[in-house]
Amino acid sequence: MTDTLDIKITKTKSSRLEQTDFNNLPFGHIFSDHMFVADFEDGEWKNFQIVPYGDILVGPGISALHYGQSFFEGLKAYKHNDGTVSIFRPDKNAARFNKSAKRLCMPTMPEEVFIQSIAALVDLDRDWIPQKPNHSLYIRPFMFATDKYLGVTPSKTYKYMVLTCPVGPYFSKTLRVKIETHYTRAAEGGMGYAKSSGNYGVSMFPARKATEEGFDQLIWTDAKEHKYIEEMGAANAMFVLDGKLITPLAQDTILDGVTRDTVIALAREWGFPVEERKVSVAEIIEGAKTGKLTDAFGAGTAATIASVGSISDDSAEYTLKIEPKDREFSQRALKAMNDIKYGNAPDTHGWNYLVSGD
Ligand code: PLP
Ligand code: COI
């Protein structure tokens, strides 16, 4: 699998695997033994390496730090009962990686290089993949500018890296969400569709205010009128209203989620009506009041399917009438996705990229 990409591998002399408590895996705190690193210099990607996980040295003037030329991806590797290791839909992440890169005037990367860099790292650290229900190896590819000068122009050099973390569920409880009607995450013409670091930085202040008010997540609304739902902080927003799966259209203010796409594909196969369109705050609140809103969840790689328990607007909190465990659609979608990811159902869509063991 790594035949075509020439990767120099330096293995760690002191693995942390034995000391790691796989019964306690807070999201993103524990890193596996190795990381992937490559450099973009003289107009090409070079120096493909896997090295022991550790700190890196960068110049203090890099434009990633000053002007935010930086973005990331997120995907997961799973271990099946028979020991097979698979990565879920990495081609989708490769495509989104390049969309983000273009928006930020950063270099793109051929899909095969992106996938092989990840597969080689996962293969080397395969013992770090937890073999437990709802657990996986979270994979974090990212790229940042490394030119050491302060001009506001695109850098000519970049670093691409991949880290991995053994993880359990990102959200451990049913979410209490707040519809944000003051702050904005992304506007038309902006970079909402890119997985740019700045999109997450900008969300922290409003998200912290919401946490202080007792909420778990925000639902972002459109920048112009704050009347239409966009997405959640770390997941796409999906609803079952009046027997139909509805979700905001993935246009330029929203991250085009792989999980969202997967849920929609499954729903269509099941003959479940799907509407990708503008979703108004008013119809969701009305549905919560009347009980026509039978399901609401965030869909994301880290979040998987995160059930929403209640939705608050500026005046009140509306609790969904059906308990998460009794929600037919999201329970079915979660099970169907997990069955494929963990190799318990045939992968008829070709979504699992198998990591060979050589
Ligand atoms: N929206 C935002 C802002 C996210 O951070 C994520 C997580 O990656 C998603 C949506 C869901 O995307 P995906 O399913 O590709 O992980
Ligand atoms: C992911 O699901 O990959 C995400 O990017 C969420 C993350 C911001 C924790």
Side-chain angles (χ1 to χ4, degrees):
M1 167 182 323
T2 53
D3 290 355
T4 51
L5 194 64
D6 188 12
I7 305 172
K8 182 170 173 251
I9 298 179
T10 309
K11 289 191 189 173
T12 182
K13 292 196 174 68
S14 50
S15 171
R16 286 172 283 105
L17 192 58
E18 291 300 314
Q19 297 105 271
T20 302
D21 179 4
F22 276 72
N23 292 316
N24 179 24
L25 296 171
F27 185 91
H29 284 268
I30 296 152
F31 294 93
S32 68
D33 277 334
H34 299 92
M35 61 188 189
F36 186 96
V37 191
D39 298 305
F40 187 84
E41 288 165 8
D42 306 321
E44 60 176 347
W45 286 108
K46 51 178 74 162
N47 306 332
F48 301 109
Q49 290 187 67
I50 291 178
V51 294
Y53 169 83
D55 292 347
I56 54 167
L57 200 61
V58 291
I62 61 173
S63 108
L65 292 176
H66 296 268
Y67 310 122
Q69 257 200 311
S70 162
F71 71 92
F72 65 96
E73 265 305 323
L75 61 168
K76 281 177 172 171
Y78 300 85
K79 196 171 271 178
H80 305 191
N81 286 335
D82 66 359
T84 300
V85 170
S86 64
I87 302 171
F88 195 65
R89 305 190 75 183
D91 53 323
K92 296 285 283 178
N93 297 88
R96 194 171 63 193
F97 182 92
N98 285 334
K99 268 170 83 175
S100 299
K102 282 184 188 153
R103 182 62 180 82
L104 289 157
C105 285
M106 294 167 74
T108 56
M109 179 172 270
E111 179 184 308
E112 354 31 293
V113 176
F114 178 85
I115 294 179
Q116 284 180 30
S117 67
I118 291 168
L121 183 65
V122 169
D123 190 14
L124 184 64
D125 278 344
R126 59 172 55 227
D127 291 344
W128 283 86
I129 309 173
Q131 198 160 14
K132 288 210 293 190
N134 300 318
H135 285 63
S136 57
L137 191 72
Y138 182 75
I139 304 164
R140 171 56 62 86
F142 60 108
M143 197 212 294
F144 58 95
T146 51
D147 274 8
K148 298 174 188 171
Y149 79 101
L150 295 181
V152 186
T153 53
S155 181
K156 289 190 175 55
T157 63
Y158 295 87
K159 213 174 253 307
Y160 164 75
M161 298 183 64
V162 187
L163 307 175
T164 65
C165 298
V167 296
Y170 187 68
F171 294 114
S172 49
K173 59 181 170 102
T174 305
L175 304 177
R176 212 180 146 208
V177 302
K178 174 189 164 182
I179 294 182
E180 178 59 64
T181 54
H182 177 69
Y183 297 102
T184 297
R185 172 186 175 273
E188 279 173 32
M191 58 175 184
Y193 66 88
K195 216 161 161 56
S196 53
S197 308
N199 282 343
Y200 295 81
V202 80
S203 71
M204 286 183 191
F205 181 71
R208 188 174 62 187
K209 283 189 83 166
T211 311
E212 284 164 3
E213 292 162 23
F215 298 103
D216 303 306
Q217 276 278 296
L218 287 181
I219 290 195
W220 296 104
T221 52
D222 69 287
K224 270 192 201 141
E225 300 178 280
H226 295 295
K227 280 190 180 158
Y228 297 96
I229 288 177
E230 301 243 295
E231 65 182 318
M232 291 166 57
N236 290 111
M238 307 191 91
F239 306 92
V240 176
L241 182 67
D242 240 344
K244 289 179 234 158
L245 177 67
I246 64 168
T247 191
L249 204 59
Q251 30 74 11
D252 70 352
T253 56
I254 293 176
L255 195 79
D256 189 358
V258 178
T259 319
R260 173 189 181 282
D261 184 81
T262 306
V263 171
I264 289 174
L266 290 170
R268 291 210 163 111
E269 275 173 29
W270 299 334
F272 202 91
V274 178
E275 290 180 1
E276 292 180 78
R277 59 165 171 84
K278 275 187 148 188
V279 177
S280 72
V281 171
E283 66 182 310
I284 294 303
I285 297 294
E286 185 57 22
K289 280 186 193 162
T290 59
K292 286 186 176 174
L293 183 70
T294 51
D295 213 330
F297 56 94
T301 298
T304 62
I305 299 269
S307 299
V308 169
S310 74
I311 304 176
S312 295
D313 64 9
D314 293 335
S315 50
E317 176 166 5
Y318 306 94
T319 300
L320 268 74
K321 298 197 190 326
I322 306 178
E323 286 287 316
K325 64 174 176 32
D326 299 323
R327 295 183 193 170
E328 238 170 81
F329 182 85
S330 51
Q331 289 299 317
R332 184 177 181 193
L334 181 62
K335 181 171 184 326
M337 282 198 293
N338 278 345
D339 281 350
I340 297 170
K341 290 170 176 175
Y342 291 97
N344 297 325
D347 177 22
T348 53
H349 311 84
W351 283 338
N352 286 339
Y353 179 93
L354 300 181
V355 178
S356 73
D358 48 43

